[in-house]
Every structure is written in structure tokens, then in C-alpha cells.
């Protein structure tokens, strides 16, 4: 029995592990783990408290996949519901559909009794407003005086926009689980890129891109620059590499290498490396696992019988 998760998912991995130990199916366990992060207002890349789109509206993407039944589903650009992963699981369980977006996803959630609420926290609104006021010199929005900027807002930009363009403005939670009976399941949930175009959908709710589970082979999920992941269908491809005998680390690094070689020139830095980052979390049927990152350092979460801890990701570029 094992659970792996993105760096921000230690408590989620722990919860999923405990739930599986109590006999809960791996799909329910990963969704329960993700729920903790979706509820966390301090986690500004997932669920309640996520950073909004360019119009100040929080839009969430999530998907689930169950290895045992080989079924999965996702919801995208969902507003006003803080647990998109639960909506995705219901879509999978109660319909024959695999993807719902926007208003349709909200109507489905509403029909199933999900509570609607304003997901934009005061902190997220301040971050968005700061971005709006500082991004252009030629609109009506005046930049704030530096001393008037809330230190928490300043810190958010320091953490999320450090380094070359695109390296930091990411987040998302992924959890993959292997049950005592050898079944696999996974879930990915996100508020997507900060200040994205309204309606923009990333990799997270797309089966094969933001997550994929095959009960015969393994489970994989990703966080990071979703467009690069969508163009390379990375989670599916990593599982196919596992099937052909690669280890989780080899499969993950090979996918990052492929993405790097296909990256368009304007997204490469002076050394010819992608400016953006992407992480893959790979869990094989035999319990071996790896977290890989385009640029180091970063960690991933692991929960197993010995306890839960953060492990080092292997970087394609140190
Ligand atoms: N992959 C997510 C997306 O592109 C964002 C992220 O992981 O940072 O929407």
C-alpha cells in the first residue's frame, strides 16, 4: 500500500493512506485526501482560496481516474464549488460522460446538492488586484505605492513569480494511490494558472494529461505548465513507458526530456531549457515510485507503512 502526492500534498497523502488502511477504496481515499487541500484557504492554487482568472473569478479544474474500472472523469472551469474533484467523481459514477465544463459542470454540481459559495478569499482578491494594478502603464489602474502593498501580497508574488518568467506561477494537487489489493487510483485538482484567460482549461481535468491510471501498470499525475503537458499527453505516455519496462524515474525523466525537445523557442531560456516547470509523480503497480521535475529542487509526498514524509524529486536540469 502506498500513496504519493505533489509537494503540497503531505497531509492529503497521509489521509488517503489512513483511509485505505481503514478499508476505503483507493479512489475514495485520494478524493478525501484532496478535499483537505481544496478546503485550505492558504493553498492559493487549489479549491477555496485559489487565485482567480484575469477577471477576478475563481475557476477550478479537477479529474479522477479509477484503475480498477478504468473509468475517469473531469470537470473544468467550474465556478463557485470548492470540491471539483468530488464533482468529477460523481460525474464518473453517475453518468456515462467524461468531461463537463463551465456552466454545465456547475449545473451538474447544483443538481447533486453541492453548495455554491464565493471561492475568492480576501487574500486572493488582493493578489489579483495587485496584479491588475501593476501589469500595465497604459490603463486606468494606477500602481499602488510600494509601502501600501500588504506584505502577504508581496510575498505571494515573490514566491510564485520568482526566477525567469513562468517558473513559479504554478501549484495544483495530485494524489496517486496503490491499495493493499493492488488497485490504483488518482486525482488532480487545481485553480489553474493565476490570472488565466476566463475559460482557459489546463491539463489537470484531462485524462492522460494531468493524470492517468492503468491498473495493470501504474498511476501518474502532474502539476506545472499545463499547456506543455496537454501537448505531450504526459501522464498517459509515462504509464506506457512503465508498461514497456522503464522504472518510474526513467519514465518520468524521459517524458520531461521529450517535452523539453518539443518546446517552442520563445519558451526556452538562454541555455535552451524550458522556462516553465513541470512535475510528474509516477507510482508503479509494484510500489516503486518517483517524483521528477524539469528544474530542481522540489519534493514530493510519500505515505507508506513506515509513515509519511517528503522525498526529493529528481530534476532533469539541476
Ligand atoms: N497544471 C495546472 C494548469 O496548467 C497548473 C499548475 O499545476 O500549476 O492548470
Amino acid at each position: 500500500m502506498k500513496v504519493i502526492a505533489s509537494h503540497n500534498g503531505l497531509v492529503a497523502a497521509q489521509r488517503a493512506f489512513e483511509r485505505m488502511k481503514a478499508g476505503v477504496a483507493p479512489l475514495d481515499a485520494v478524493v478525501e485526501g484532496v478535499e483537505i487541500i481544496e478546503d485550505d484557504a492558504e493553498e492559493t492554487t487549489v479549491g477555496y482560496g485559489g487565485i482567480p482568472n484575469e477577471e477576478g473569478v475563481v475557476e477550478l479544474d479537477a479529474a479522477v481516474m479509477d484503475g480498477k474500472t478504468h473509468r475517469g472523469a473531469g470537470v473544468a472551469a467550474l465556478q463557485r464549488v470548492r470540491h471539483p474533484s468530488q464533482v468529477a467523481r460523481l460525474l464518473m459514477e453517475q453518468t456515462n460522460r467524461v468531461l463537463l465544463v463551465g456552466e454545465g459542470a456547475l449545473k451538474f454540481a447544483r443538481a447533486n446538492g453541492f453548495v455554491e459559495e464565493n471561492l475568492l478569499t480576501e487574500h486572493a482578491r488582493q493578489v489579483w488586484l495587485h496584479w491588475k494594478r501593476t501589469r500595465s502603464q497604459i490603463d486606468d489602474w494606477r500602481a499602488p505605492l510600494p509601502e501600501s502593498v500588504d506584505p502577504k501580497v508581496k510575498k505571494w508574488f515573490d514566491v510564485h513569480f520568482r526566477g525567469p518568467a513562468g517558473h513559479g506561477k504554478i501549484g495544483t494537487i495530485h494524489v496517486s494511490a496503490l491499495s493493499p489489493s493492488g488497485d490504483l487510483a488518482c486525482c488532480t485538482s487545481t485553480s489553474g494558472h493565476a490570472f488565466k484567460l476566463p475559460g482557459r482549461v489546463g491539463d489537470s481535468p484531462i485524462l492522460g494529461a494531468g493524470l492517468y491510471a492503468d491498473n495493470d501498470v501504474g498511476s501518474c499525475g502532474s502539476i506545472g505548465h499545463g499547456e506543455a503537458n496537454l501537448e505531450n499527453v504526459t501522464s498517459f505516455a509515462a504509464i506506457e513507458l512503465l508498461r514497456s519496462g522503464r522504472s518510474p524515474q526513467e519514465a518520468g525523466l524521459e517524458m520531461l526530456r521529450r517535452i523539453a525537445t518539443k518546446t517552442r523557442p520563445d519558451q526556452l531560456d538562454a541555455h535552451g531549457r524550458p522556462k516553465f516547470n513541470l512535475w510528474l509523480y509516477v507510482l508503479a503497480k509494484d510500489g516503486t515510485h518517483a517524483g521528477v521535475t524539469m528544474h530542481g529542487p522540489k519534493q514530493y509526498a510519500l505515505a507508506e507503512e513506515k509513515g509519511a514524509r517528503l522525498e526529493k524529486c529528481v530534476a532533469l536540469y539541476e
Side-chain angles (χ1 to χ4, degrees):
M1 181 161 66
K2 232 158 235 176
V3 182
I4 62 169
S6 42
H7 65 285
N8 52 354
L10 190 59
V11 288
Q14 235 163 341
R15 169 71 63 88
F17 188 85
E18 282 158 17
R19 298 300 289 144
M20 283 199 300
K21 216 169 168 181
V24 166
L27 183 72
D28 294 333
V30 293
V31 172
E32 282 189 42
V34 166
E35 177 181 342
I36 303 172
I37 314 298
E38 289 173 335
D39 280 335
D40 183 357
E42 300 291 312
E43 172 49 86
T44 57
T45 68
V46 180
Y48 178 73
I51 300 298
N53 66 20
E54 70 172 17
E55 292 178 352
V57 178
V58 179
E59 289 189 331
L60 305 177
D61 297 343
V64 296
M65 187 148 185
D66 183 33
K68 193 171 178 186
T69 57
H70 203 70
R71 293 206 54 202
V75 291
L78 174 63
Q79 299 181 8
R80 303 185 57 74
V81 176
R82 68 163 69 193
H83 296 130
S85 56
Q86 294 177 11
V87 182
R89 183 183 53 190
L90 269 188
L91 182 66
M92 186 195 101
E93 289 171 351
Q94 296 186 355
T95 77
N96 289 321
R97 302 303 178 195
V98 167
L99 185 61
L100 277 185
V101 304
E103 190 62 21
L106 177 57
K107 283 181 182 167
F108 178 76
R110 205 179 272 150
N112 281 287
F114 281 85
V115 175
E116 283 176 63
E117 60 185 316
N118 179 14
L119 302 178
L120 187 67
T121 58
E122 181 55 18
H123 172 65
R125 190 185 67 77
Q126 293 287 349
V127 166
W128 168 75
L129 193 62
H130 184 77
W131 169 78
K132 207 168 166 59
R133 294 182 69 187
T134 51
R135 67 199 268 257
S136 162
Q137 303 293 327
I138 53 167
D139 59 22
D140 286 349
W141 296 86
R142 289 262 177 279
L145 295 170
E147 59 275 20
S148 72
V149 178
D150 178 347
K152 267 187 80 185
V153 169
K154 193 178 168 315
K155 186 168 170 215
W156 188 90
F157 280 90
D158 289 346
V159 169
H160 291 267
F161 282 86
R162 68 181 182 280
H167 270 233
K169 51 181 177 181
I170 33 84
T172 295
I173 171 90
H174 171 77
V175 183
S176 273
L178 174 67
S179 78
S181 52
D183 292 319
L184 291 146
C186 56
C187 176
T188 303
S189 181
T190 189
S191 52
H193 276 215
F195 323 125
K196 61 193 176 186
L197 287 171
R200 176 265 185 187
V201 174
D203 55 329
S204 309
I206 306 300
L207 304 180
L211 75 172
Y212 191 72
D214 184 318
N215 231 30
D216 298 331
V217 184
S219 177
C220 178
S222 74
I223 75 167
H225 184 47
E227 280 71 10
N229 197 7
L230 283 164
E231 286 171 342
N232 292 278
V233 204
T234 312
S235 290
F236 172 75
I239 292 301
E240 291 308 300
L241 289 173
L242 272 191
R243 195 192 304 279
S244 68
R246 307 284 189 92
S247 70
Q249 182 177 317
E250 287 166 352
L253 287 175
E254 169 63 18
M255 285 318 302
L256 293 182
R257 217 171 279 122
R258 276 193 210 172
I259 290 171
T261 58
K262 308 266 185 207
T263 298
R264 61 195 77 161
D266 65 303
Q267 290 187 354
L268 295 173
D269 67 14
H271 305 286
R273 301 165 172 187
K275 290 180 193 166
F276 55 79
N277 210 346
L278 199 70
W279 292 263
L280 291 175
Y281 310 101
V282 190
L283 176 60
K285 178 92 174 163
D286 66 3
T288 54
H289 52 87
V292 297
T293 172
M294 192 72 86
H295 307 273
K298 202 65 168 186
Q299 294 170 306
Y300 69 105
L302 167 69
E304 55 183 1
E305 207 51 67
K306 281 187 287 186
R309 61 182 182 279
L310 290 171
E311 293 270 296
K312 198 172 174 297
C313 286
V314 178
L316 186 61
Y317 305 115
E318 286 300 340

